[in-house]
Amino acid sequence: MKRVVFAIVLIAVVVVCVSSGTNAVSLSKQAVTYSNFNYVHDIAVSIKRVYFATTNGLTIYNKDTRRWDDPLTLPRDVTEVTRVWVDLFDQTLYISSPISYYEYDITLDRWFSIIDLPTINNDARHLSLPHNFIPPPRFNYSANGDLIDGDGNSYQVTNVVDDGAGNLWVGTWGYGAAKANSTTNVLELLPFGLIQRRANALTMQDSVLFVSGAIENDVRSGVSMFNLRTGSFTYYETGLLMGIRAVDINCLEADAEYVYMGTPLGLYILDRRNNTVREHYDFRRGLSDDNVISLRAIGDSLFVGTASGLTLLTFGTDSIRYVSPEELSNQIIWNMEPAAGYMWIGADGGAYRFRLSDGAMQQFQDPTNILFGPVYDIQRNGDDLWLASDDGAVQVNLKTADVTPYHEITSDRGMGRALAVNDDIAALSSERGVTFIFYNREDWFSKEFTTEDGIADGAVFSLLLDGRYLWIGTSRGLTRFLWDNPERVD
């Protein structure tokens, strides 16, 4: 008996030592984060792949497919990668962060903290800077190694690596990754990731995910467009060439022709065909406020929610009709959702219904009192309408008028609340990340997911469900989360 107890204790001690002593961190396959990868510290090259160490993660370019692989999820608590090393055949991969070295174990799918770097078999050469590159169209290249865009902004080349196969792999400080032929030196940009790190606003149109947010410390700003079919990124970049100065983008709406951007300076409408500003609306042109908080398009009409009320723009062939309901004057309009002939509106004073046929307005009387204060988000799923506030969530059946409250799902962050719903879950931003309500079960239950589960940051601003994935917009980037991961036990 003593031997059995001793063996059990010994195993427990070994497990603790392995997990804490080596700082082993599980690589969660359920979460991948896309962030601002434009600031490149270092580059490592294998026969098949190129690894870029950036201020917001580790990105991987596949030479064979000529496409980007998913960014590699990092050890928990590591966001910035300062150096990267790889062998010729991708069997050993090492990174350094500002606090430690890590080794990636391909078999175990884990990162391990290490003290010293072993010898690595790799013949790729880092070349001296600056290098004499021929820049792409609309760019200049200075003698001291700066890539200069059309607005006159300079981005220093930080790394040039010769892989020995005729390719030069280039990192810049502010414009991301690039490549060149070692003979011609013609520079080709390889855009990947978000143009700015914070992801306040999300919308999707034809398998293209549109992402934007507050600028914060980012030099470049605008809208990132992530083509989910090809895995490629393109951008609507604010600046002199676009006719929009750098500005925070609070909300987005898109259709086949236009992208609608709500900013503190009003509403901008971008023409997707030529990447130019078609219109700009602000208080002087009929909006209830310059600060646009939410947008919703229906047919030839656009509902514009601002910090001081709601404006309905109806676009005709020769004129624009403005409708501003008095019941919502001086209220922040957080979100809108069309359902059953109405536009449901989440405002500071609660939830309202705007009848589309005649403009009649009615406030929703919530019998559960969850929607007593601000209603931050509204989403429809089939016959159900979901509404979110700091005090929880409410599920309203549009056919039966039954109301189901979720009092337990509270939040007190003081920064709004995002919501996304499908047939199985309702996801709400929470104190430390995202809470899933598994409501479509005999006994519903909830579970909170945080940075420990792979979410980029606990400050969540936007949510969007796309099949098996939940897109989570945070202050540190956009996380693609596999919400129905079969390996996870909820």
Side-chain angles (χ1 to χ4, degrees):
M1 182 66 180
K2 290 182 179 179
R3 292 182 178 178
V4 173
V5 173
F6 177 77
I8 293 174
V9 172
L10 181 61
I11 292 172
V13 170
V14 170
V15 169
V16 170
C17 289
V18 168
S19 101
S20 61
T22 62
N23 248 351
V25 181
S26 296
L27 176 62
S28 177
K29 293 181 180 179
Q30 70 183 357
V32 174
T33 291
Y34 301 84
S35 189
N36 180 349
F37 302 129
N38 290 320
Y39 296 87
V40 178
H41 280 300
D42 192 26
I43 302 173
V45 181
S46 69
I47 291 177
K48 292 187 176 181
R49 295 177 178 85
V50 187
Y51 299 79
F52 294 88
T54 81
T55 53
N56 288 300
L58 183 66
T59 61
I60 308 170
Y61 186 82
N62 192 307
K63 295 183 190 179
D64 292 340
T65 63
R66 297 185 180 181
R67 293 173 56 170
W68 289 93
D69 293 342
D70 285 339
L72 194 57
T73 303
L74 297 176
R76 198 179 70 199
D77 301 328
V78 174
T79 55
E80 183 171 8
V81 182
T82 55
R83 293 289 305 276
V84 58
W85 301 265
V86 68
D87 70 359
L88 287 174
F89 303 102
D90 301 288
Q91 296 301 306
T92 53
L93 176 66
Y94 305 94
I95 62 171
S96 69
S97 74
I99 59 174
S100 183
Y101 292 107
Y102 296 90
E103 176 183 0
Y104 178 62
D105 189 302
I106 298 175
T107 304
L108 297 178
D109 197 21
R110 289 176 180 266
W111 289 98
F112 291 89
S113 178
I114 58 176
I115 298 175
D116 297 313
L117 288 172
T119 302
I120 299 171
N121 177 28
N122 196 313
D123 297 328
R125 296 183 301 117
H126 281 75
L127 305 183
S128 60
L129 299 174
H131 199 80
N132 187 26
F133 287 118
I134 299 173
R138 298 186 297 276
F139 286 86
N140 291 311
Y141 192 75
S142 70
N144 60 353
D146 287 342
L147 187 66
I148 304 171
D149 67 16
D151 285 341
N153 300 310
S154 296
Y155 308 93
Q156 184 182 12
V157 171
T158 57
N159 289 268
V160 179
V161 176
D162 188 338
D163 65 4
N167 302 304
L168 301 179
W169 301 96
V170 181
T172 72
W173 196 250
Y175 225 92
K179 65 174 292 190
N181 183 281
S182 58
T183 302
T184 64
N185 282 332
V186 174
L187 199 63
E188 175 191 353
L189 300 175
L190 302 173
F192 185 69
L194 306 183
I195 198 171
Q196 54 198 58
R197 185 172 71 165
R198 184 161 158 167
N200 289 71
L202 300 175
T203 192
M204 188 178 293
Q205 173 71 24
D206 297 331
S207 297
V208 176
L209 187 62
F210 296 80
V211 189
S212 196
I215 298 174
E216 296 184 330
N217 297 322
D218 296 310
V219 174
R220 299 167 64 199
S221 62
V223 181
S224 303
M225 294 169 292
F226 186 13
N227 189 314
L228 301 181
R229 291 196 183 101
T230 64
S232 60
F233 280 85
T234 53
Y235 309 104
Y236 291 124
E237 188 164 356
T238 56
L240 296 176
L241 294 180
M242 285 291 293
I244 307 175
R245 76 184 195 191
V247 64
D248 293 347
I249 298 176
N250 303 323
C251 52
L252 289 170
E253 184 81 316
D255 57 31
E257 295 183 87
Y258 302 107
V259 178
Y260 307 90
M261 296 173 19
T263 79
L265 303 178
L267 168 69
Y268 290 91
I269 302 178
L270 303 182
D271 192 325
R272 295 181 63 181
R273 293 165 295 188
N274 53 24
N275 293 358
T276 59
V277 178
R278 178 179 181 267
E279 295 284 355
H280 173 222
Y281 298 93
D282 56 14
F283 179 76
R284 293 173 298 178
R285 291 198 62 188
L287 298 188
S288 51
D289 194 288
D290 282 346
N291 193 8
V292 177
I293 305 296
S294 56
L295 295 167
R296 197 57 194 257
I298 299 182
D300 64 350
S301 297
L302 182 69
F303 286 80
V304 183
T306 76
S308 301
L310 175 70
T311 302
L312 170 59
L313 305 181
T314 301
F315 303 103
T317 55
D318 300 317
S319 63
I320 298 174
R321 182 173 65 94
Y322 296 85
V323 178
S324 299
E326 294 182 1
E327 295 89 339
L328 298 176
S329 62
N330 299 319
Q331 290 199 54
I332 298 176
I333 308 302
W334 294 102
N335 191 264
M336 295 166 282
E337 180 74 9
Y342 291 89
M343 179 64 76
W344 286 75
I345 301 164
D348 260 359
Y352 297 81
R353 296 193 308 175
F354 179 87
R355 192 156 58 203
L356 298 174
S357 59
D358 58 10
M361 184 73 71
Q362 178 185 16
Q363 185 168 11
F364 175 65
Q365 302 300 320
D366 174 25
T368 69
N369 287 327
I370 288 179
L371 308 179
F372 181 77
V375 173
Y376 296 116
D377 206 345
I378 306 175
Q379 298 292 326
R380 181 181 181 181
N381 181 58
D383 293 330
D384 290 328
L385 197 72
W386 287 75
L387 304 96
S389 74
D390 285 328
D391 295 325
V394 170
Q395 179 185 13
V396 180
N397 188 287
L398 297 172
K399 286 188 175 181
T400 65
D402 291 338
V403 177
T404 304
Y406 296 88
H407 289 282
E408 297 85 351
I409 317 300
T410 60
S411 177
D412 190 25
R413 299 186 311 155
M415 54 192 299
R417 193 159 203 195
L419 170 70
V421 185
N422 63 16
D423 291 340
D424 296 292
I425 65 165
L428 291 91
S429 56
S430 62
E431 298 286 349
R432 302 187 305 143
V434 179
T435 295
F436 288 2
I437 304 174
F438 295 88
Y439 71 91
N440 195 17
R441 308 191 183 197
E442 186 174 347
D443 295 314
W444 73 271
F445 67 95
S446 65
K447 180 177 176 62
E448 186 179 41
F449 296 90
T450 67
T451 55
E452 296 182 0
D453 303 290
I455 297 175
D457 191 73
V460 173
F461 302 105
S462 52
L463 298 171
L464 192 152
L465 276 161
D466 176 28
R468 300 183 65 195
Y469 294 110
L470 173 68
W471 293 97
I472 305 172
T474 80
S475 63
R476 287 186 170 273
L478 178 68
T479 298
R480 187 191 70 195
F481 193 86
L482 184 60
W483 67 265
D484 68 341
N485 187 351
E487 298 179 7
R488 192 181 67 237
V489 179
D490 294 319

